[in-house]
Amino acid sequence: MICLFIGFMYFETVWKPYFYGPLYTPGATSSSSEQSTAASPSPSATPSDTASSFIENPSPEATATSSDPAVAKAVPGKYPSDAKVAQKGFITVSNSDLKLKVSLLGGRLTEALLLKYPVSAESPDAPLDVVFHAEHAPYPLGVYSGGVNDAWTEYRVTRGAPSGRITLADNSAPQELVLEGQLPDGRTITKRFEFQPEGYVINVSLALSAPPADASRASLEWTKLVEDFESSTLNPYETKGYTWFDGEKAHREAYDSLEGEKKELGEVRWVSQGDKYFMAAIIAPGVPTPGHALRTGTLWRSRLSGGPSSAEFQLLIGPKEYERLEAMGGEKSYELQRNIDFGYTGFIAAPLLSLLHVAYGIVGNYGLAIVILTILVRLALYPLAAASFKQMRAMQDLKPEIDRVREQVKDKQQQQMELM
């Protein structure tokens, strides 16, 4: 009974969540709670838990009319309100896996729907949105350069999306969206997106008319609102946080363990934010580049730097599928599969997972795939098992003699000598 109970708990907390969890668990627990929190912070929350914690430096409008209390109240922070963003309009992009909304105010992602992953079992037709946002907080894909950012930049479309929409059919060519605007310091910024007909990868490149006065690097940012850090003994990998790869080793840090408001990650190939099932990673396709982890209240950010006046990145937003992550980058693999934390047994678990997926690809059923994997493991361990069985049989053959010696010889020392 104990073995059956342990087996049942293992299936419910490890196997079932891993293979079926993305369809149900995130929306029912962490993701849905984060979305509801982003929409309406708790009245009893502390100041760091509310949208006011995202207010940093005054916005251009607030600065220009700071003597007008009404305007200052309407535009309270560095980042525009959701109504202001919606007023300027969006570009909608969709392929077979993603549906995105890119704002013309700020050129940022306001929505990123994973079309094949429902938000919960109760809402199977509602795709999961991996953009978690609160009023007056920055949306993902902001550009930072020389102490300014493009949150208030009004972009115009210079290429792509003549009707405000880009729809990519399967096997079609990638399509571009090029936006151009002006940063608060007067420099022109060009933001270029390249969307694929399928998958979860977006190419993002930046071009500035001039480097900033301080010669600092331009950075691209991903943001996520997170308040729930809960994990359990039975489900220890239900953690949310940063992962970054320096070319040799993957480093991980949970959100709640980040000390201070900024952490220098050093020269990295990529930096990601994610939970047990989904992730968003900013990738430097070329050489390693400086990365940062930041926090403002319950808003968590990751940034990757490019050059002073130009930068090229790849953005991956989607599920943690081992084979897909492993294939990213082709021959020059980005090692994105390191986002999946197998714990200390990864050197065994990763190959077994690959074998399980191969078996599933053949039979199309995870129950049968597990049976096949079990048989393969037993066959691989058969030499060790056979040697063990042989020793057990030899001991059984000797048992009558051992019992006779123990019965006839009472002196312990003599008994041991006889047994030897």
Side-chain angles (χ1 to χ4, degrees):
M1 290 296 293
I2 294 176
C3 292
L4 287 174
F5 176 75
I6 294 174
F8 174 76
M9 293 302 296
Y10 183 78
F11 175 78
E12 287 293 322
T13 60
V14 179
W15 284 102
K16 186 176 178 180
Y18 183 85
F19 294 113
Y20 304 107
L23 293 176
Y24 308 107
T25 305
T29 56
S30 61
S31 294
S32 61
S33 64
E34 289 168 10
Q35 286 175 321
S36 62
T37 302
S40 54
S42 169
S44 61
T46 61
S48 63
D49 295 328
T50 64
S52 63
S53 64
F54 310 127
I55 300 172
E56 299 178 359
N57 300 323
S59 66
E61 294 185 14
T63 302
T65 58
S66 58
S67 60
D68 187 343
V71 175
K73 184 177 181 181
V75 189
K78 181 177 181 179
Y79 303 102
S81 65
D82 293 348
K84 193 73 174 178
V85 172
Q87 180 185 351
K88 298 299 180 181
F90 305 94
I91 302 296
T92 303
V93 183
S94 59
N95 65 11
S96 57
D97 297 294
L98 284 172
K99 183 177 180 181
L100 310 170
K101 287 176 71 175
V102 181
S103 66
L104 291 178
L105 180 61
R108 306 184 179 204
L109 278 185
T110 61
E111 184 178 82
L113 302 179
L114 306 184
L115 300 179
K116 296 180 180 178
Y117 295 89
V119 69
S120 69
E122 291 75 22
S123 305
D125 297 327
L128 178 68
D129 189 356
V130 294
V131 173
F132 301 99
H133 173 73
E135 184 78 9
H136 293 294
Y139 281 106
L141 294 195
V143 177
Y144 294 78
S145 172
V148 298
N149 68 79
D150 65 344
W152 287 90
T153 297
E154 296 186 19
Y155 283 101
R156 61 183 181 279
V157 179
T158 60
R159 186 186 308 165
S163 61
R165 179 180 297 272
I166 297 176
T167 303
L168 295 99
D170 291 343
N171 301 319
S172 65
Q175 293 193 36
E176 287 186 346
L177 172 64
V178 181
L179 306 177
E180 188 174 294
Q182 194 173 56
L183 292 174
D185 60 6
R187 288 179 294 154
T188 300
I189 177 173
T190 302
K191 214 170 188 177
R192 174 182 170 273
F193 301 87
E194 184 182 76
F195 303 102
Q196 309 299 321
E198 60 181 359
Y200 305 95
V201 179
I202 306 167
N203 296 325
V204 184
S205 61
L206 316 170
L208 303 173
S209 58
D214 59 5
S216 60
R217 300 186 179 204
S219 298
L220 188 69
E221 177 183 79
W222 183 265
T223 64
K224 187 173 184 180
L225 183 75
V226 179
E227 290 188 351
D228 180 17
F229 304 113
E230 293 182 2
S231 61
S232 67
T233 304
L234 291 176
N235 202 8
Y237 296 107
E238 183 56 74
T239 23
K240 306 174 181 66
Y242 300 98
T243 305
W244 63 95
F245 182 58
D246 60 12
E248 296 182 0
K249 182 180 178 181
H251 306 266
R252 296 179 178 87
E253 185 163 341
Y255 288 130
D256 57 347
S257 64
L258 179 64
E259 297 180 359
E261 296 185 352
K262 184 175 182 179
K263 180 181 180 69
E264 303 286 345
L265 306 181
E267 300 284 322
V268 301
R269 294 286 306 279
W270 48 260
V271 57
S272 71
Q273 290 180 255
D275 54 26
K276 186 175 181 179
Y277 302 109
F278 300 96
M279 56 173 283
I282 304 176
I283 307 160
V287 298
T289 187
H292 305 87
L294 308 95
R295 65 172 295 181
T296 308
T298 54
L299 183 75
W300 305 83
R301 319 174 188 212
S302 53
R303 289 182 188 172
L304 205 59
S305 299
S309 57
S310 64
E312 292 187 2
F313 305 100
Q314 283 187 306
L315 175 70
L316 173 68
I317 44 176
K320 290 184 175 180
E321 296 178 350
Y322 189 88
E323 285 79 8
R324 187 189 296 271
L325 297 178
E326 188 178 34
M328 277 288 295
E331 294 182 358
K332 298 180 179 179
S333 175
Y334 297 150
E335 302 280 349
L336 282 167
Q337 72 274 12
R338 293 174 183 257
N339 277 277
I340 302 176
D341 186 8
F342 289 107
Y344 295 109
T345 61
F347 66 98
I348 297 176
L352 289 179
L353 178 62
S354 297
L355 280 175
L356 184 65
H357 285 169
V358 170
Y360 173 77
I362 296 173
V363 300
N365 181 286
Y366 273 117
L368 292 176
I370 292 172
V371 172
I372 293 173
L373 180 63
T374 303
I375 294 173
L376 292 175
V377 172
R378 294 297 296 269
L379 288 174
L381 297 177
Y382 177 76
L384 294 177
S388 177
F389 290 144
K390 186 176 180 180
Q391 289 182 350
M392 291 175 61
R393 176 57 64 88
M395 291 299 294
Q396 289 177 351
D397 293 340
L398 286 174
K399 191 174 187 305
E401 284 296 311
I402 292 174
D403 291 341
R404 183 187 62 80
V405 169
R406 286 176 176 171
E407 187 175 325
Q408 293 180 355
V409 181
K410 301 302 181 182
D411 182 73
K412 295 296 182 181
Q413 186 175 0
Q414 184 66 25
Q415 188 184 96
Q416 291 297 324
M417 291 178 64
E418 293 289 339
L419 289 176
M420 290 297 293

